[in-house]
Amino acid sequence: MECAVVWLQFVCTEKNCTKDLDVILDDIIKHLLPARTFEACYPSLDKILTILISSQDDVTELFSLSKFLPFLDLFQKESVKVEACKSILSAFRSKNEGSTSSPIAVSSFIYTCKTLHNSVNALTNDDQKRDISELIKLLHLLRELR
């Protein structure tokens, strides 16, 4: 996994690297999915997600990658998946000022918001509820679609 992290950092320094990112994500998925070894690699997967988010000026471009959503599906543990969704929506809020017109991005943001919403239960404290609700409010900003 550490090798994949280094290669991803290298590829992210190039312009127009979407095809290469898809290849790397596909390779990661192929290596981790069959044996369910992704469960032992959550820290590395989180690091990869952080690199992907920080390397993009427009976070919605990540959703144009054919392997990005399957990559997110590797986050099977609910608490890890919730943190990944929070990272994506926080980056969208800070980098994109909360607007997009891409139907693919909107659908993907609905999926991430649904994941956050479903994580709230009776044991969720008020601060966590407040943080999640602030991120989900971003979806309200997406209504300005054409």
Side-chain angles (χ1 to χ4, degrees), residues 51-64:
I51 292 168
L52 287 170
I53 290 171
S54 64
S55 70
Q56 300 295 316
D57 294 331
D58 183 4
V59 178
T60 59
E61 290 177 13
L62 289 175
F63 294 115
S64 67

Side-chain angles (χ1 to χ4, degrees), residues 1 5 8 32 38 41-54 71-72 74-75 79-88:
M1 279 302 294
V5 170
L8 190 71
L32 296 181
F38 56 83
C41 298
Y42 284 139
S44 295
L45 292 174
D46 186 49
K47 191 173 185 179
I48 289 170
L49 181 64
T50 303
I51 292 168
L52 287 170
I53 290 171
S54 64
F71 171 75
L72 282 182
L74 292 177
F75 294 95
S79 61
V80 177
K81 190 170 208 154
V82 166
E83 289 304 316
C85 290
K86 284 181 181 179
S87 298
I88 293 167

